[in-house]
Every structure is written in structure tokens, then in C-alpha cells.
Amino acid sequence: MSHPHRPAPVSFAQALRFWLWLGCVSFGGPAGQIALMHEELVVRRRWISEKRYLHALHYCMLLPGPEAQQLATYTGWLMHGTRGGMAAGALFVLPSLVLLIALSWAYTVWGQHPWGQALLWGLKPAVTALVLQAVHRMAKRTLKAPWLWALAAASLLGMLWGLSFPWIILGAALLGHGMARHRPVAAVPHGAASAAPDAPAWLDDDTPQPAHTHYSHGRLLRALLLGVGLWAVSLGSIALLLGTAHTLTQMGGFFTQTALLTFGGAYAVLPFVTQAAVMQYGWLSATQMMDGLALGESTPGPLIIVVAFVGFMGGHSQALLGNPLLGGIAAACVVTWFTFLPSFVFILAGGPLVEATRHMPSLAGPLQGITAAVIGVVLHLAGTFAWHTVWPTGQWTQADWPALALTALAAWLLIARQWPVMRVLAVCALVGMGVQWV
């Protein structure tokens, strides 16, 4: 029996317009994007209830990869099936991909110009401050017990000693599982908004479960086979056409691994990508990685889209496919495809199981352990960025004191004053241009 105040069903065309709009305006990182989706989907439009939204959010938080994009995919799938999930997830990414490819091209053309260098000089302290802000946010939300603080410190030491990122995550998950039994800590999902509206939603708790969300072994197997098949065909075709040692083949394999092994959001992925892309493959330098993160922060959509910049720079520098620009665009698209494909598989294959059970085994302990370890990993990334910003020559005695002061200012504005990211980026860019003018 329908509720008299429940909103009318949402058409697929109406949802498409919303997902495209969201992909163009979702600045502010995963926490801001999750809060924005809550405001639009739960509070303002009442397309989905608070409980269903949080149920989807909790599932996405347990997955590797970009949780905000996965949450959009899950919600789109819940509303309109497979086509809805694919449309929501793709439109959450495509605007930022197109914009970042354009910015990457501009970076290769004007990045070495004096004014371009001045602009980037101002943005690098902001990037370091943004990573510090991410550490601060995660620490406030996660480190609720002494053993979590100790785990974060241990992961930082592990990174300094050169311990592999997957081993840190595995050890943290095992320790978190053990500690949760003896000293449980209440989990607080980040990005979750406040009170639910009193009025019911289109997809409310008492709404009959849509047919496409019903779980079956056959449906799960088909979704898994389709996802794995797409991955195998795409990577196999690249390897067959270009060879297994080609850069595009290496990028496809590496970013698949990245999508599967990194938990904790975009800032958890970045140390892993930076270490491999800079030191192992040489696709770009550490300084260029910082510049790419600054460009990624200035675009809407998931922050992990910065991997498209990594791909573009690698393809451009090696002039893949015989042309720097064409090689950069191809590499950026390949990297984006293999980074986000697993997220679609996780949602479209696992969504029916989650909706059918509505009760998941308690994974709060492993998740808390992983998140605490990620804090140490991200703090190590902040130290790496600070080193390249304040000591660009690599010598302790040759510090760039204005860069250090600007880093401190940006961190204070973000953490203490809680300024929006775009405003801080604009301030730092203006300071950089002003220093060049002086």
C-alpha cells in the first residue's frame, strides 16, 4: 500500500540529469561528496531513505576503491538496476576525467613557463596541507583507543622502513579483528549526515524490494563473469596488440592491483601510486605527482581521478602511439578504466547480496584497524610532499622558508578555520603569483 506522502517514482532520464549534475559539482573530497549526496538524495529529493542510504554507505566503506563513487553507483543501481548503476558511476567520473585531461595537457604546455612555475609553487604547499587535513580528519574519526594510535604509529614506521603497503593493510586488518573482540570501539561512518527527514522517501524502508535487487546465485555469477570478462578482454587486447612489456599493458595491470588492494579512500591509494609510479616505473617525478594532486583537487568528482594525470604524464613523456598528446589521452583513459572497473563489479555483483541480507557480519574491527594504519601511511605521504616542497634541492640546509610558511598558513586555514578547499587553493595560487611578480 503506497504512502500518500511518498514522492512519485523517479524516471531514468530524471536520474541521468541528476548524476551528470552531481559529477560536475561534487568538489571537496569523499566526505563532502557523501554529505552532498545525503543532502540531495535523502533530505531534499527524498529518493532514498536514511536507513537505505547508510546501509549502502557502510557496504561501500568496506570495499577497496573510491567509496563516494561506489556509493553513487550503488544508489543508481538501487533505483534503476544495472543501467542506473553504470550511469551513476560513470557520470560521477567522466566530467572530472575530461577536465583533468585538459589540465594535464595545459600542464605539459605551460607548466615550465615562469608564471606556470609560480602558480605551481603556490599550489604545492596547499597540497601538503590538504594531505595533513586528511590525516587530521581521519584521526579525529578513527583513533578512539590507544591501540589505534599505536597502530597508526606502527604503520608510519613501517612505511619509513620500506614495508610494502599491502602487508601493512593485511597486518592492520588482522590486528583490528583480534582487538575488536577484546576492546571494541564504536565505529562512526565518515560523511554520514545527521538526522533523517520525517517524511518518507520513494525507496523507503517499507517499500517492496525492487525485482532487480533480489539475490540469486546465477545473478551473482553472471555479474562476476561479466566484470572479469571485461577486464580480461580489455587487458588481453592491449597486451596482444602492444605486447606485455608495453607501458599501457603495465598501467592496466598496476592500476587493477591498485583498485583491489587499497582501502580507506583516495588518500590511502596515493602513497601506493606515488611509490610505484615515481620510483618503480618512472612515469613521472615526485614533483609532478604533487602538481597532479593539486590539479586533481581543483576538479569535481573522486579525488582518485588524479591517477588519470599519472597516466597522461607517462603516456605523454613516452610519446605512446607515436604522438605525445594522443599517448597521454590514451594512457589516461586506460588508467581510469582499470581503476574504476572493479568498483562497478563490487557494486553490481555484491549489491543484491547486501540488499537480500540487510545484515552484514561485523567487520568494524578490521575496518578500524585498516583505517588507523592508513592514517600512518597518509602521514608518510604528507612528509614526502613536505620534503619536496620545503626542501626541493634535497638538502636540509637549503629550506624554502616562504614555502614552509605558506604550508603552515594553508594547514591553519583548512584545519583550524575550516575554509573550503577551493578557497585555500585560490589563496595559495595568488600568493605564488604574487611572489613571482615581486
Side-chain angles (χ1 to χ4, degrees):
M1 182 176 179
S2 62
H3 194 289
H5 300 294
R6 180 172 288 119
V10 180
S11 68
F12 183 62
Q14 186 179 0
L16 276 180
R17 290 192 294 271
F18 169 77
W19 295 122
L20 178 59
W21 171 82
L22 182 69
C24 293
V25 303
S26 55
F27 293 90
Q33 291 158 358
I34 291 170
L36 175 62
M37 279 190 280
H38 179 276
E39 176 67 25
E40 292 293 331
L41 293 170
V42 178
V43 179
R44 183 168 174 267
R45 302 171 191 266
R46 292 190 288 125
W47 287 357
I48 183 173
S49 68
E50 174 89 359
K51 288 185 178 180
R52 280 185 178 268
Y53 181 85
L54 291 180
H55 185 70
L57 173 60
H58 291 158
Y59 174 57
C60 295
M61 287 178 65
L62 297 175
L63 299 175
E67 57 199 31
Q69 186 265 350
Q70 290 167 341
L71 180 60
T73 305
Y74 192 105
T75 308
W77 165 80
L78 194 61
M79 292 168 57
H80 296 105
T82 300
R83 64 170 184 168
M86 294 178 66
L91 291 175
F92 195 78
V93 174
L94 286 177
S96 57
L97 173 61
V98 173
L99 181 56
L100 192 57
I101 287 176
L103 291 175
S104 301
W105 170 78
Y107 175 82
T108 60
V109 175
W110 292 294
Q112 299 305 314
H113 188 277
W115 286 107
Q117 288 289 302
L119 178 64
L120 293 171
W121 180 90
L123 290 177
K124 287 172 187 174
V127 168
T128 303
L130 283 166
V131 180
L132 290 173
Q133 181 197 35
V135 172
H136 180 260
R137 283 179 173 176
M138 288 189 290
K140 285 181 60 180
R141 186 181 72 247
T142 303
L143 303 183
K144 303 293 186 179
W147 69 270
L148 292 171
W149 281 95
L151 185 53
S155 69
L156 174 60
L157 292 176
M159 290 297 295
L160 292 173
W161 288 337
L163 194 61
S164 177
F165 181 83
W167 287 111
I168 293 177
I169 294 302
L170 177 60
L174 293 175
L175 181 61
H177 176 71
M179 292 298 295
R181 292 185 173 185
H182 305 289
R183 299 182 181 181
V185 182
V188 181
H190 87 274
S194 54
D198 294 332
W202 169 46
L203 292 179
D204 211 339
D205 301 318
D206 59 351
T207 303
Q209 188 175 341
H212 66 269
T213 66
H214 290 177
Y215 172 77
S216 70
H217 295 306
R219 181 170 292 176
L220 173 63
L221 184 60
R222 285 193 299 271
L224 288 175
L225 289 177
L226 178 60
V228 174
L230 283 174
W231 172 82
V233 169
S234 54
L235 187 59
S237 298
I238 295 173
L240 185 64
L241 291 173
L242 303 175
T244 56
H246 195 273
T247 299
L248 289 182
T249 309
Q250 292 179 337
M251 287 181 173
F254 169 72
F255 283 100
T256 299
Q257 179 186 10
T258 299
L260 294 175
L261 292 181
T262 47
F263 295 83
Y267 283 105
V269 179
L270 290 174
F272 186 58
V273 173
T274 301
Q275 184 181 43
V278 174
M279 302 177 62
Q280 182 178 348
Y281 295 105
W283 293 328
L284 74 175
S285 67
T287 300
Q288 289 173 332
M289 186 70 195
M290 290 187 64
D291 296 339
L293 184 55
L295 297 178
E297 288 280 7
S298 65
T299 63
L303 178 57
I304 193 55
I305 197 63
V306 71
V307 299
F309 176 85
V310 175
F312 186 95
M313 295 303 297
H316 186 277
S317 64
Q318 299 181 23
L320 300 181
L321 308 182
N323 180 276
L325 179 58
L326 181 61
I329 294 174
C333 293
V334 165
V335 164
T336 303
W337 168 257
F338 286 104
T339 299
F340 287 96
L341 177 61
S343 294
F344 286 95
V345 177
F346 289 142
I347 299 303
L348 299 180
L353 181 60
V354 176
E355 284 296 310
T357 61
R358 286 293 185 97
H359 298 284
M360 298 183 63
S362 177
L363 295 177
L367 181 61
Q368 287 171 340
I370 290 172
T371 307
V374 163
I375 292 172
V377 173
V378 177
L379 186 58
H380 178 267
L381 177 68
T384 301
F385 284 172
W387 174 259
H388 288 283
T389 300
V390 182
W391 292 274
T393 64
Q395 301 294 325
W396 282 104
T397 57
Q398 299 178 4
D400 187 342
W401 296 110
L404 178 61
L406 187 55
T407 302
L409 174 64
W412 178 73
L413 292 175
L414 286 167
I415 298 172
R417 304 294 297 174
Q418 298 185 352
W419 276 27
V421 171
M422 294 303 297
R423 187 188 300 178
V424 175
L425 289 175
V427 168
C428 291
L430 289 175
V431 170
M433 301 294 281
V435 169
Q436 170 67 21
W437 181 78
V438 172

